[in-house]
C-alpha cells in the first residue's frame, strides 16, 4: 500500500517555482525552503494521532484534542537541514535526528557517514526529510536505517521527486507514504532530476 501525495496548494507551487529558478540566491533559497516545509507540514502531519483532553476555558470545561504521539523529524544531510526550521516552526516540540548520506558520484549509491537519532522511535511519528528524491537510493537507505532503529510509522517529505525515485520507494518501502511538491519525469546521466532545481545542498549552502 503505497501513497504519493502531491501538495498542489498555490503557495507551495509558487515557492517551488522560486527554488527552481537559477537566479534565486542561497539566502532566498533557504527562506523559501523553510516556508515550503511549514506549509507542507500540515499535510505530512495530517494523520498524527490525537487524544481527547479536558481543558478549562475561562467559561467552562471543553473537550479538546491534543497530540498523543511524539513527533520526530529526521533530516538527511546535508540538504534536509533546509527543511527543519519550517517544520520546527509548526511543531516545536518535535525531536530531531540526522542521517548523513552522500551519493557516490560513479555508482549513485548512498554512502553512510553519520547517524544520530532520538530514543523512542518505535512510538514516534517519524518524518524523514530531504528536498530531493532522485534515484531514491538515499531515501530508501535512510528509511532502512530508521526501521533498523525501531521506527514503525515513517513518512517521507521531499520537495521534488523523480518518477524513478517514487517507484524505488514504492518497491523498497510500500508502507512509507511520500509527500512532495512536484514530480519530475527524468534524471540525467549524473542522476540529477530534470528540470529539478540543481544540487539542493550546494544551492542551500552556497557551495558552488
Ligand atoms: C542529494 C539529496 C539527496 C540525494 C538524492 O544529496 O539531498 O540526499 O542527493 O539522490 P538519490 O535519490 O539519487 O539518492 P547529496 O548526495 O548530493 O549530498 P549533499 O546533500 O551532502 O550535497
Ligand atoms: N540531488 C540533488 O541535490 N539534486 C538532484 O537533482 C539530484 C540529487
Amino acid at each position: 500500500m503505497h501513497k504519493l501525495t502531491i501538495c498542489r496548494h498555490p503557495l507551495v507551487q509558487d515557492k517551488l517555482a522560486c527554488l527552481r529558478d537559477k537566479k534565486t540566491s542561497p539566502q532566498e533559497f533557504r527562506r523559501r525552503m523553510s516556508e515550503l516545509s511549514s506549509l507542507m507540514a500540515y499535510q505530512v502531519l495530517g494523520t498524527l494521532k490525537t487524544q481527547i483532553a479536558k481543558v478549562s476555558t475561562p467559561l467552562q470545561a471543553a473537550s479538546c484534542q491534543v497530540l498523543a504521539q511524539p513527533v520526530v523529524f529526521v533530516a538527511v544531510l546535508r540538504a534536509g537541514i533546509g527543511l527543519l526550521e519550517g517544520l520546527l516552526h509548526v511543531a516545536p516540540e518535535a525531536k530531531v535526528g540526522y542521517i548523513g548520506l552522500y551519493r557516490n558520484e560513479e555508482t549513485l549509491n548512498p554512502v553512510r557517514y553519520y547517524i544520530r537519532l532520538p530514543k523512542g522511535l518505535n512510538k514516534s511519528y517519524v518524518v524523514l526529510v530531504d528536498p530531493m528524491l532522485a534515484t531514491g537510493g538515499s531515501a530508501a537507505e535512510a528509511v532502512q536505517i530508521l526501521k533498523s532503529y525501531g521506527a514503525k510509522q515513517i513518512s517521507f517529505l521531499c520537495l521534488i521527486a523523480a518518477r524513478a525515485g517514487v517507484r524505488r520507494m514504492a518497491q523498497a518501502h510500500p508502507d512509507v507514504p511520500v509527500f512532495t511538491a512536484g514530480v519530475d519525469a527524468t534524471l540525467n546521466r549524473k542522476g540529477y532530476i530534470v528540470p529539478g532545481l540543481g544540487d539542493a545542498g550546494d544551492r542551500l549552502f552556497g557551495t558552488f
Side-chain angles (χ1 to χ4, degrees), residues 102-199:
Y102 68 86
R103 293 195 307 178
N104 177 301
E105 284 180 10
E106 305 290 316
T107 64
L108 298 182
N109 289 328
V111 181
R112 296 181 191 192
Y113 62 90
Y114 186 74
I115 300 175
R116 181 78 197 200
L117 297 166
K119 293 197 173 72
L121 285 188
N122 57 333
K123 294 195 176 73
S124 303
Y125 188 101
V126 180
V127 183
L128 178 69
V129 304
D130 189 331
M132 310 304 278
L133 178 67
T135 65
S138 302
E141 175 82 355
V143 169
Q144 198 52 52
I145 292 168
L146 290 174
K147 287 181 175 175
S148 75
Y149 277 72
K152 297 199 169 15
Q153 192 179 2
I154 306 169
S155 296
F156 178 65
L157 171 64
C158 61
L159 300 183
I160 302 180
R163 284 197 193 130
V166 174
R167 276 196 302 274
R168 174 111 172 233
M169 280 294 279
Q171 277 159 11
H173 301 290
D175 54 319
V176 175
V178 173
F179 294 80
T180 187
V183 177
D184 285 3
T186 48
L187 295 173
N188 69 13
R189 277 190 296 122
K190 290 185 167 176
Y192 280 92
I193 301 174
V194 181
L197 53 71
D199 188 305

